[in-house]
Amino acid sequence: MATWNLTDTQHHILICNGSSCNRAGAEALTQSIRNEISAKGLDPMIHTSRTLCNGRCQDKCVLITYPDGHWYKEMSSEDAPRFVESLMTGNRLEDKVSHSFNGRCFELSEGTMKGVEKDREIVKKVSKKL
C-alpha cells in the first residue's frame, strides 16, 4: 500500500465503481483518466480514488471532483482527455455536470433527474447490513 504525498494536490477525483457504473464502463473510465493524468505529468496535482456506489445510478458513470464540488454524469473513457484538460483550465464540462456545490448545498443542473428523497425506509433498504 502507498501513502501518497498530497501537498501539491489541487484536485481529488472520486470515480464511482459501483455495480451500475461498472456495467456502464467505470473501469475503462478510471483507467483512461489515470492514463491521461500520467501522460500529462499531472500525478502530483490530481489524485484519483475509486469509490463504490455514490447513489446516482441514473447518472452512470458518476465522477465527483473536490475541492470544487462538482458531480459529473454520463462520463465515459472518451471524456477523459477533455475532463483532465478542464481541471487544468478551470472550465468545467457544463454538458456533464449534474450537481455543483454553491457553498451551502448541491444545486441540480438543468436536465438532470432530481432523484428520490431520502427517507428512513429507503436508506435502510439500500444500506449494507453489518
Side-chain angles (χ1 to χ4, degrees):
M1 286 258 192
T3 301
W4 301 116
N5 175 356
L6 301 176
T7 56
D8 292 327
T9 303
Q10 298 173 15
H11 304 280
H12 185 192
I13 305 168
L14 306 174
I15 307 166
C16 182
N17 274 237
S19 59
S20 293
C21 287
N22 256 335
R23 284 191 298 275
E27 180 58 28
L29 172 62
T30 301
Q31 294 308 316
S32 294
I33 287 173
R34 288 178 172 174
N35 290 341
E36 190 70 21
I37 290 167
S38 290
K40 293 185 180 292
L42 300 173
D43 289 297
M45 298 171 61
I46 304 173
H47 182 69
T48 63
S49 297
R50 278 190 181 105
T51 70
L52 293 177
C53 182
N54 286 285
R56 293 289 305 174
C57 299
Q58 179 72 28
D59 296 339
K60 62 191 174 282
C61 292
V62 173
L63 195 150
I64 305 163
T65 59
Y66 283 92
D68 56 353
H70 298 302
W71 286 57
Y72 290 84
K73 63 182 178 179
E74 302 166 358
M75 295 293 289
S76 71
S77 57
E78 291 80 25
D79 295 314
R82 191 168 73 107
F83 172 74
V84 172
E85 183 65 25
S86 77
L87 290 178
M88 300 321 301
T89 62
N91 299 319
R92 65 185 181 193
L93 302 182
E94 295 296 336
D95 60 317
K96 297 285 187 169
V97 173
S98 68
H99 295 79
S100 293
F101 191 67
N102 66 12
R104 188 183 63 78
C105 64
F106 287 95
E107 293 180 343
L108 185 70
S109 296
E110 188 175 327
T112 300
M113 183 180 114
K114 184 176 180 181
V116 297
E117 299 296 325
K118 287 184 179 181
D119 71 29
R120 184 180 209 110
E121 288 306 310
I122 293 173
V123 170
K124 186 176 176 181
K125 181 179 177 182
V126 300
S127 296
K128 289 191 177 193
K129 311 224 180 346
L130 299 179

